[in-house]
Amino acid sequence: MEHVPPPAEELALLDRELAQLDARRAQLLTRRAWLVAALQPKAPDAPRWSTPPLGHGWAPAQSWGAVPKAAKPSAPRSAQNVLLTLGGLLLTVAAVAFTLVSWGSMGIGGRAAVLALVTVAALAAPALLLRRKLAATAEALAALALVLTLLDAYAIHAVATPDADGLTFTAIASAVLAALWAAYGLALGKLHLPLPAAVFFVQWPLLLGAWAAGAPALVVGWALLATAVVDGAITLWGKGLGVRVTAGIGLVVMGSAALLTGLGESLTADGPLGAVLPGLLLLTAAVAALAGAWRAPSGYAQLGGAVAGLAAVAAVGGVVRAAVPGAWHVPVYLLCGLALLSVVRARLPRTAGRGVLLASGAVVAGALVWALPGVAAVLLGPVQLVAEVWAGAPDGFRGALGEAMAWSELAAAPLVLAVVAGGLGAAYRWWPTLVRLAAPLAAPGVKARDAAGAGALALGWGAVLLAAATLGVPYPVAVALETVLVAGLLTVAVLGAGREAGAGAADAAAAGVGATGAAGSGSGEAAGGSEPYVGTAGAGVGSGSGGAAGRGGPSAVAVTALVLAVGGAVSLGLLSLAAEAATYAVLGALVVLFAGAALRMRPVVEQAVLAVAAVVWGTALTGCVAGSLGLAPHEAAPLLLVVPAVTVLLGARLRNHPVALPVELAGGLGALVAIGLAVPRAPFLALVLALCGVLAAGAAVRPERRPVAGYLAAVLFVTATWVRLAASEVSAPEAYTLPVTVPALVVGLLRRRKDPEASSWTAYGPGLAATLLPSLAVAWGDPDWQRPLLLGVAALVITLLGAKYRLQAPLLLGGAVLALVTLHELAPYVVQVAGALPRWLPPALAGLLLLAVGATYEQRLRDARKLKDVLGRMR
């Protein structure tokens, strides 16, 4: 009897045997892979593999047990392609040379026979090669056959029909070649070249035929459009990437040429009847583009919708444009572009509808580009009044703006701005309804609504200004109008910033109305298309416009209003310079308006902008007062410090408010203007510097301003002293500076005793600088030796005291003054020695110095660090 083990034992036995078989199989596969890799041709510099142990399936540089992937035998495809390309090129060159050079030595029969035989052989060879699976060779011979067919066409024209018109023959030959290569490509479907070649030949028959017949431009446009339609059909339904790409390129080129031809004919038409035929061409192009967009993928469908929309606008607008005066051409196209918005009610694929909406937006943008330069001219035109301040009120608004602009040609520009502003304003006002209507095509969010509101405000403001300029309103009316506009913009900015916090929640709640209908409730498959079209009936919006609740900061409308208010105020201020009374009225109104808006504004940044603007207008108003008093610029400088004084007091009142610092800095800019005006007269400059020092000292009373304002006040006082001494032509400044230096040093000594941690710059710096620096300036030009000697001794003593007591200010100030005095005294001798030295010696010494420093660079660096540490430890 045979022994039959229990099932569990037999199963374990089978598992062990299978594991052994798997391990052996892995070893054999590894060994085989190594042998295959070893037999492959290697580069001359490749390292040789040593023979692995026969009992193991591993090779050098491999981990134990790793099973390398079997190396696939790589066919030399690149070399094959190079050889085939060179062979085909040589055959092509030979055929061309034969046709052009050797053709004349043969009779007509021999020529035809040779070319026909070679062409038939080249066309037949790829079929045989494809059966033997030699596809690359077949492609090369197909390319040769393509060139031979072109040579055949040339030969036929040169010999058989030499009197035929070249364009006509080329058109017929292109049609024949297109048919030939299309049939050839369909018969040999594995070849990649014939069908794209047929598509290329398709581009020329209609165009060259119309050109050869001397057809008008409009007929040429129809030929281009028909070719583009054929290209579009091939792009949609053609087989193979090469065919579709070639047809797509032809579609873009021919379609663009057809559209440009139709647009050019429409723009140059003499009347409405003359624009009908170009309009028909453009409408046909629009229908064709829309039909292609219906079936095209999403990205191309959107492009097709945009082309269709633009072509339709050009067609309809061209007919209407020819019936209106030249100034109203742009509004005609604008209205046609806005009519495209009705696409939201049409049953179009979503992406195609988006393309039509993009076309509408492009038309609107083009109209704005035409109209906005007039607004810029209105805003920047008053700059010319700066050269003739208070020369008298001009005859009208245009007189203040200059006659550079052709205002009669911009008569319709305010209407363009007003129409676009009205559309954006309506969208902003009835946003939930707009979102519900546009839901099938797009899902605009809250940011889009803010942009619409901001655009409506800016364009409406520009429309009012441009209308006043084109109508030529009187100068006082223009000034009053711009003032009212600035006041209105400030009101919008303040109110918009104040209620922005609660606007988001209201928008989100309103935008969700009607969400019971799904966005796809009216969807269905477009005929033959891959994308659903969406009907608007019952469509709703579930969530896309919410999320605005809790937004921080002012809205885009409020920010836009603030920016426009500032820009309009600048233009208004320039405009008011024509008349003195207008200047005072406008600047006073601007100060009141911006100051009042700053008090009501809540966001800090916007409040700071308004406050700074109010300070600027106040400074300008002060300057106008000086001008009315007949003061010279240097005499008006002290008067301009009134506004900086007010800002210092206001900063003390505001204390730590975030707006305090911008207001004080704006006042500081006014003080800089005053200093600049006083520079030509030294006495007035000293007075202005001293007054600025007083203002800085007043600001330094506050602890938060003391670190900066204190030093600034000291610098201003010292500078004012020097300027005053220079203006009085004082030759002995020590008589004036020492009485200041001694008490200042005593005060500094008392300060140091009370507060040993106080800096020596704070305690002794102002006092020492008050005497040392003016004396140095005088000593530098003093030909005698007494003053430099005394100043050098004093500087040496101060330096030694600073080193002894480890005080930075005396050490550095005394050392710097001592070095400069020494340089001044030794300068004549250095010049004499330098003149006596050879010319090559200074460069040589400089080179040696650099070498020495470079050789001991690390040591010098350590010395510099030690010096820095020593100075840093000083007070």
Side-chain angles (χ1 to χ4, degrees):
M1 296 179 62
E2 294 181 1
H3 173 69
V4 179
E9 184 178 350
E10 184 179 4
L11 179 61
L13 179 63
L14 292 176
D15 290 339
R16 285 195 297 271
E17 290 180 356
L18 290 173
Q20 293 175 0
L21 290 175
D22 290 338
R24 182 57 180 165
R25 176 179 173 81
Q27 291 179 358
L28 293 176
L29 289 175
T30 303
R31 176 65 178 173
R32 181 183 182 279
W34 184 88
L35 291 173
V36 171
L39 292 175
Q40 292 296 324
K42 296 181 173 60
D45 57 346
R48 293 182 174 270
W49 285 44
S50 62
T51 304
L54 296 179
H56 301 281
W58 63 276
Q62 293 181 345
S63 60
W64 177 264
V67 181
K69 296 182 180 179
K72 296 182 180 180
S74 59
R77 292 292 184 185
S78 58
Q80 179 187 14
N81 293 334
V82 171
L83 293 176
L84 291 174
T85 303
L86 290 176
L89 182 61
L90 291 176
L91 288 175
T92 302
V93 172
V96 173
F98 169 76
T99 304
L100 298 179
V101 178
S102 301
W103 188 260
S105 62
M106 299 179 63
I108 184 64
R111 303 170 187 173
V114 171
L115 267 183
L117 180 62
V118 174
T119 304
V120 170
L123 290 173
L128 299 176
L129 293 173
L130 287 176
R131 292 179 183 178
R132 297 178 177 273
K133 298 182 179 180
L134 298 175
T137 308
E139 290 285 354
L141 289 179
L144 174 62
L146 175 62
V147 176
L148 289 175
T149 55
L150 293 174
L151 293 176
D152 287 335
Y154 168 76
I156 291 172
H157 177 62
V159 177
T161 59
D163 297 331
D165 180 64
L167 288 176
T168 304
F169 182 84
T170 305
I172 298 173
S174 299
V176 173
L177 289 175
L180 171 65
W181 282 99
Y184 188 73
L186 293 176
L188 301 179
K190 294 183 179 180
L191 292 179
H192 298 89
L193 180 63
L195 289 179
V199 174
F200 173 77
F201 289 125
V202 165
Q203 311 301 316
W204 308 110
L206 293 178
L207 175 61
L208 295 179
W211 193 359
L218 198 58
V219 176
V220 175
W222 281 105
L224 292 169
L225 179 59
T227 306
V229 171
V230 174
D231 288 331
I234 297 174
T235 303
L236 290 175
W237 294 296
K239 296 181 180 179
L241 180 62
V243 174
R244 292 195 297 271
V245 169
T246 306
I249 296 174
L251 172 62
V252 173
V253 174
M254 296 298 177
S256 300
L259 291 174
L260 291 176
T261 302
L263 180 61
E265 292 296 311
S266 177
L267 293 176
T268 56
D270 295 334
L273 293 179
V276 170
L277 292 179
L280 183 60
L281 172 63
L282 293 171
L283 279 180
T284 306
V287 172
L290 197 58
W294 200 284
R295 296 178 178 273
S298 59
Y300 298 101
Q302 188 167 339
L303 178 60
V307 172
L310 292 175
V313 170
V316 179
V319 176
V320 181
R321 177 203 65 85
V324 299
W328 298 90
H329 289 173
V330 174
V332 167
Y333 287 106
L334 174 63
L335 294 178
C336 293
L338 293 177
L340 293 179
L341 296 177
S342 60
V343 72
V344 299
R345 307 294 295 177
R347 296 168 64 85
L348 289 178
R350 176 175 299 181
T351 49
R354 289 176 183 171
V356 177
L357 291 180
L358 287 177
S360 177
V363 174
V364 172
L368 292 179
V369 168
W370 172 76
L372 288 178
V375 180
V378 173
L379 294 177
L380 301 178
V383 173
Q384 63 176 349
L385 298 176
V386 176
E388 299 178 358
V389 177
W390 297 346
D395 295 336
F397 194 13
R398 292 184 184 179
L401 301 178
E403 300 298 334
M405 292 292 295
W407 298 106
S408 59
E409 298 179 2
L410 295 175
L415 178 62
V416 170
L417 297 176
V419 169
V420 180
L424 294 176
Y428 181 79
R429 175 62 181 82
W430 292 287
W431 188 254
T433 303
L434 176 63
V435 171
R436 190 164 54 252
L437 291 175
L441 301 180
V446 176
K447 290 185 178 179
R449 183 191 182 186
D450 291 343
L457 181 63
L459 294 178
W461 171 71
V464 174
L465 289 179
L466 191 54
T470 54
L471 293 176
V473 298
Y475 176 76
V477 175
V479 172
L481 177 62
E482 290 203 31
T483 305
V484 172
L485 287 178
V486 171
L489 291 171
L490 291 175
T491 303
V492 173
V494 173
L495 295 179
R499 63 189 180 190
E500 174 60 20
D507 292 343
V513 177
T516 56
S521 60
S523 63
E525 283 296 318
S530 59
E531 189 176 354
Y533 63 84
V534 183
T536 57
V541 184
S543 61
S545 299
R551 286 181 297 168
S555 65
V557 177
V559 173
T560 303
L562 179 58
V563 173
L564 295 178
V566 175
V570 173
S571 178
L572 175 60
L574 294 174
L575 182 64
S576 68
L577 296 178
E580 184 176 2
T583 303
Y584 282 107
V586 167
L587 293 180
L590 290 179
V591 171
V592 173
L593 288 174
F594 277 86
L599 293 176
R600 298 296 302 274
M601 182 67 72
R602 291 295 174 264
V604 175
V605 176
E606 287 74 10
Q607 188 179 29
V609 171
L610 292 171
V612 169
V615 173
V616 172
W617 308 137
T619 304
L621 184 61
T622 307
C624 292
V625 172
S628 297
L629 295 176
L631 301 178
H634 62 275
E635 295 173 340
L639 185 60
L640 290 180
L641 296 178
V642 173
V643 175
V646 174
T647 59
V648 170
L649 297 176
L650 186 59
R653 177 70 176 83
L654 295 175
R655 303 294 294 177
N656 293 325
H657 195 280
V659 179
L661 181 59
V663 169
E664 292 179 80
L665 291 177
L669 292 177
L672 287 178
V673 173
I675 293 174
L677 293 176
V679 166
R681 295 295 181 91
F684 279 92
L685 178 60
L687 175 61
V688 171
L689 289 173
L691 294 176
C692 291
V694 172
L695 296 178
V701 174
R702 298 156 52 197
E704 67 273 12
R705 299 286 185 264
R706 189 171 300 153
V708 175
Y711 288 109
L712 180 60
V715 170
L716 289 172
F717 281 132
V718 172
T719 306
T721 303
W722 298 342
V723 172
R724 180 67 261 182
L725 294 176
S728 300
E729 298 181 356
V730 175
S731 59
E734 294 82 4
Y736 300 90
T737 58
L738 285 177
V740 177
T741 296
V742 174
L745 292 177
V746 172
V747 172
L749 180 62
L750 296 176
R751 169 73 184 277
R752 287 275 298 171
R753 287 182 178 179
K754 184 179 181 180
D755 182 13
E757 298 299 325
S759 172
S760 61
W761 290 101
T762 304
Y764 305 120
L768 293 175
T771 294
L772 290 178
L773 298 183
S775 298
L776 177 64
V778 176
W780 194 262
D782 193 349
D784 297 329
W785 59 271
Q786 295 88 352
R787 185 188 302 277
L789 177 61
L790 295 176
L791 181 59
V793 171
L796 177 61
V797 172
I798 293 172
T799 303
L800 294 176
L801 291 176
K804 178 180 180 181
Y805 294 103
R806 305 181 62 83
L807 299 174
Q808 264 190 21
L811 178 63
L812 296 181
L813 282 174
V817 172
L818 179 61
L820 291 174
V821 170
T822 304
L823 177 62
H824 174 264
E825 294 302 312
L826 295 178
Y829 305 102
V830 172
V831 171
Q832 293 178 2
V833 172
L837 293 176
R839 294 295 180 90
W840 56 266
L841 188 58
L845 294 177
L848 291 175
L849 177 62
L850 292 177
L851 288 176
V853 173
T856 61
Y857 175 74
E858 295 296 334
Q859 181 62 37
R860 302 289 77 78
L861 189 60
R862 285 192 293 268
D863 295 342
R865 288 173 179 170
K866 290 179 181 179
L867 179 60
K868 178 183 176 182
D869 294 338
V870 170
L871 291 176
R873 288 192 295 268
M874 292 183 177
R875 288 294 178 184

